[in-house]
Amino acid sequence: MTGLNIGVLAVQGDVMENLSATRLAMDDLGVEGVVTEVKSPDQISELDGLVIPGGESTVIGTLSLVNGSLKKIKEKIASGMPVLGTCAGMILLSKKAKDRIVGDMEQPLLDYLDIRIERNAFGRQKDSFEADISLEKIGIPKFRGVFIRAPSVSEAGRDVEILSKIDGKIVAVKQGNIVGTSFHPELTSDLSVHKYFITMAQKGKR
Amino acid sequence: MIPLSGDIGNAKGIIRENLGTVETRRGTTTLKRGFAHMLKNGVVMDVTTVEQAQIAEDAGAVAVMVLDKLPADVRKAGGVARTASIRIIEEIMDSTTIPVMAKCRIGHVYEAQVLDATGVDMIDESEVLTPADEFHHIWKWDFTTPFVNGARNLGEALRRIEEGAAMIRTKGEPGTGNVAEAVIHIKNVNTELRRIKSVYDAGDEQDLISLARELKVSYGLVEETASLGRLPVVNFAAGGISTPADAAYLMTLGCDGIFVGSGIFKSDDAKERAQAVVLATTFWEDPLKVKEAQKMVDERQSMLGLDTKNLELRMQERGSTA
């Protein structure tokens, strides 16, 4: 197969929205390939790129651990597969997560992206917000950020590039082949972030 | 991108304020419906104590719903059922990292205000509690916190969405341990969706208008829903789910996720059952995995359950004509 094989981790959360945003981004860029829901280690091993959607990070982590997907994703990231994690997806990619109220979490994580996460950093659902943010470093000067019980990055390692901040809090990062966002680009009609991810996957494939 | 059909735009529940120097908006339809989208393919569990909430979170629940009594006990106790104790809701909010929901009585605007002020993540305007207003549901556009409502058919679902509900669940017959009614309700919604879609696809505007009248919903919302071919909000199954196979069955009917009320904490193997229902909901497409989940529970430990045909109290009928 010559086209890209992109997967959306379909354990729990807003899988469909990421599926359609990725599909539309590929169409817009004129990139050939398929976007499918993936759940099992076998499906994941075939991928050129993976999107980990929003949802509850504890649930996605626990259930991906159960069927061996977590281990497979980690192997694939190590071998250079590009990954986009939105909200819960970024939490899963991180090394350590802490809840703003409850404290240190023992939840299963991919332990790859060198950041520490503060879960629910902006508060509960009532404090969820929309705001314009900027990701200049990856060529997106303006983007409508949809933050839902969003996490923030409380510490970032040396190799982590900070892509965006709001009110002093880090809300988007990049480390090599990994992009993580606190917000949900899949809930807006702006495809810029997903397009950036597809471009990464294309370079990886070449 | 998520459907925003029925959005009234400048709702009172939307709050504009600054975060540092950045202008933000809270309580928008994208944020409310988006929250429900994050719960998809998950299980929301009814809990009455901090211990139960912990079991639910550890088992992989996507959220917990705090009640004063489980629906089966509400049914047994009789009397008036009201919103849960705020102190217990707050204790649970302080000890769990997943979203916390709570129920208010149908139409009881001030119980909802209290829950909104408490900061719960979603309010369930629920027929499990005794209705406070026989004629009106809450005008949910006035709130920053999103609402979920029960429905038995498409008309009820769309009327609740028109009032601002960000999520729908089937009513089923709560506290019975019997899924039969939830199955009827989800099938009702699906059948009626197919009906409006076929009329829409045929381009028969006149017929679509009479359907809108029949459903007692604005034409615009019926038209948008028909074009989508599904509800414009996330739709969960609820009412009587007791076993992993129950949960998997409802997922096959096209639900986005599951609410479990009495089924878990009225059983004698709550911890295993909580985990098993989550597994079956996640891997519902794989019968072998659902079998594994079903094997984790013991049918002799399931709640006994009730025949829904001979009930004195049919909670599902509450608020259905409004």
Side-chain angles (χ1 to χ4, degrees):
Chain A
M1 201 180 69
T2 52
L4 282 181
N5 183 5
I6 306 292
V8 179
L9 186 63
V11 173
Q12 190 274 320
D14 69 337
V15 177
M16 289 313 294
E17 290 66 34
N18 273 292
L19 209 65
S20 76
T22 310
R23 178 75 263 166
L24 291 170
M26 283 169 78
D27 291 349
D28 247 31
L29 291 167
V31 172
E32 285 196 23
V34 292
V35 190
T36 53
E37 293 185 22
V38 294
K39 239 178 213 183
S40 69
D42 286 352
Q43 292 168 322
I44 292 161
S45 65
E46 302 292 317
L47 297 177
D48 301 317
L50 176 72
V51 181
I52 309 180
E56 275 307 311
S57 62
T58 50
V59 180
I60 304 175
T62 307
L63 291 160
S64 306
L65 185 68
V66 169
N67 77 348
S69 298
L70 215 54
K71 189 164 162 260
K72 180 52 79 181
I73 296 171
K74 218 175 153 175
E75 279 172 30
K76 288 287 286 183
I77 298 174
S79 74
M81 175 185 69
V83 188
L84 169 65
T86 68
C87 196
M90 178 170 78
I91 298 175
L92 272 177
L93 288 160
S94 74
K95 282 193 175 295
K96 183 82 193 156
K98 187 176 174 166
D99 184 80
R100 191 174 65 100
I101 305 290
V102 179
D104 280 338
M105 296 293 297
E106 291 301 317
Q107 66 187 103
L109 300 172
L110 284 160
D111 188 22
Y112 208 93
L113 182 55
D114 191 12
I115 56 171
R116 279 170 174 268
I117 288 279
E118 186 180 28
R119 284 185 59 195
N120 304 319
F122 298 92
R124 308 191 70 95
Q125 172 58 20
K126 218 174 123 181
D127 309 304
S128 293
F129 63 95
E130 291 183 39
D132 287 334
I133 52 164
S134 163
L135 302 100
E136 294 272 8
K137 280 185 192 159
I138 57 169
I140 306 171
K142 191 177 165 193
F143 195 85
R144 189 66 174 169
V146 177
F147 295 82
I148 297 180
R149 285 172 49 93
S152 74
V153 176
S154 51
E155 280 174 52
R158 262 187 313 143
D159 299 332
V160 178
E161 207 178 337
I162 292 162
L163 300 181
S164 188
K165 278 188 181 185
I166 187 164
D167 193 28
K169 289 187 162 117
I170 302 168
V171 293
V173 292
K174 179 171 190 259
Q175 178 189 318
N177 49 336
I178 307 174
V179 173
T181 66
S182 298
F183 50 90
H184 293 279
E186 72 278 12
L187 296 186
T188 66
S189 53
D190 188 338
L191 301 169
S192 326
V193 172
H194 284 80
K195 277 187 184 168
Y196 178 75
F197 165 69
I198 291 299
T199 314
M200 274 170 68
Q202 244 184 328
K203 280 184 194 147
K205 175 116 176 156
R206 265 192 234 126
Chain B
M1 179 125 197
I2 55 173
L4 299 176
S5 324
D7 186 11
I8 64 167
N10 221 348
K12 265 200 223 162
I14 298 175
I15 296 171
R16 289 180 171 75
E17 61 183 14
N18 282 0
L19 185 64
T21 55
V22 188
E23 198 183 297
T24 72
R25 293 209 301 164
R26 297 195 277 125
T28 64
T29 300
T30 300
L31 292 165
K32 289 174 168 180
R33 293 188 189 175
F35 168 75
H37 279 269
M38 299 310 145
L39 306 174
K40 281 194 295 190
N41 231 46
V43 181
V44 182
M45 297 182 194
D46 279 3
V47 298
T48 57
T49 63
V50 171
E51 292 71 35
Q52 288 180 352
Q54 204 53 58
I55 291 173
E57 178 166 10
D58 292 345
V62 281
V64 292
M65 172 80 69
V66 186
L67 292 92
D68 171 51
K69 294 184 206 68
L70 292 171
D73 294 325
V74 170
R75 190 174 282 288
K76 214 180 287 170
V80 176
R82 311 178 184 90
T83 200
S85 306
I86 299 302
R87 198 178 304 161
I88 293 178
I89 297 173
E90 285 181 341
E91 276 174 26
I92 292 176
M93 283 168 57
D94 288 343
S95 61
T96 49
T97 67
I98 56 176
V100 176
M101 307 182 183
K103 290 181 190 288
C104 73
R105 283 178 262 178
I106 291 175
H108 202 313
V109 175
Y110 234 97
E111 269 187 359
Q113 295 281 12
V114 167
L115 292 176
D116 179 82
T118 305
V120 299
D121 296 291
M122 184 170 244
I123 300 171
D124 183 3
E125 186 181 17
S126 175
E127 67 283 1
V128 168
L129 308 184
T130 313
D133 185 332
E134 292 294 333
F135 303 104
H136 297 95
H137 282 69
I138 295 168
W139 189 249
K140 291 162 274 280
W141 298 111
D142 289 350
F143 288 78
T144 311
T145 305
F147 277 74
V148 54
N149 274 88
R152 300 190 303 168
N153 51 49
L154 183 62
E156 272 188 64
L158 292 180
R159 293 200 293 278
R160 300 296 85 83
I161 292 167
E162 211 157 41
E163 294 156 359
M167 179 176 178
I168 293 293
R169 53 170 177 74
T170 60
K171 284 181 170 173
E173 190 52 50
T176 59
N178 189 339
V179 286
E181 300 293 310
V183 170
I184 294 172
H185 298 166
I186 197 74
K187 286 189 172 174
N188 279 347
V189 172
N190 288 343
T191 308
E192 290 168 314
L193 278 169
R194 278 198 295 271
R195 188 163 153 225
I196 62 167
K197 187 173 190 309
S198 69
V199 172
Y200 174 83
D201 289 344
D204 191 337
E205 242 171 274
Q206 195 178 9
D207 221 8
L208 204 57
I209 287 173
S210 55
L211 279 172
R213 287 183 185 140
E214 199 182 295
L215 298 168
K216 295 191 273 179
V217 188
S218 74
Y219 178 75
L221 185 55
V222 171
E223 191 185 27
E224 284 183 65
T225 306
S227 77
L228 289 169
R230 61 152 294 148
L231 289 181
V233 301
V234 167
N235 183 23
F236 270 40
I241 295 156
S242 310
T243 68
D246 284 350
Y249 175 32
L250 284 155
M251 292 300 286
T252 65
L253 299 178
C255 298
D256 294 316
I258 304 288
F259 278 92
V260 190
S262 315
I264 289 173
F265 291 105
K266 288 309 275 182
S267 73
D268 294 321
D269 53 0
K271 208 170 173 178
E272 294 75 18
R273 194 168 293 252
Q275 288 173 354
V277 171
V278 170
L279 275 177
T281 305
T282 307
F283 299 109
W284 62 271
E285 285 162 298
D286 182 350
L288 276 176
K289 286 236 168 58
V290 177
K291 182 217 127 188
E292 285 303 312
Q294 188 74 11
K295 206 171 158 185
M296 289 164 69
V297 302
D298 180 351
E299 180 51 23
R300 287 167 298 188
Q301 313 287 323
S302 293
M303 70 180 283
L304 185 56
L306 296 166
D307 181 353
T308 52
K309 294 287 169 278
N310 306 309
L311 295 172
E312 262 176 49
L313 172 61
R314 281 171 66 81
M315 291 176 176
Q316 57 175 283
E317 277 153 22
R318 289 169 161 173
S320 59
T321 51

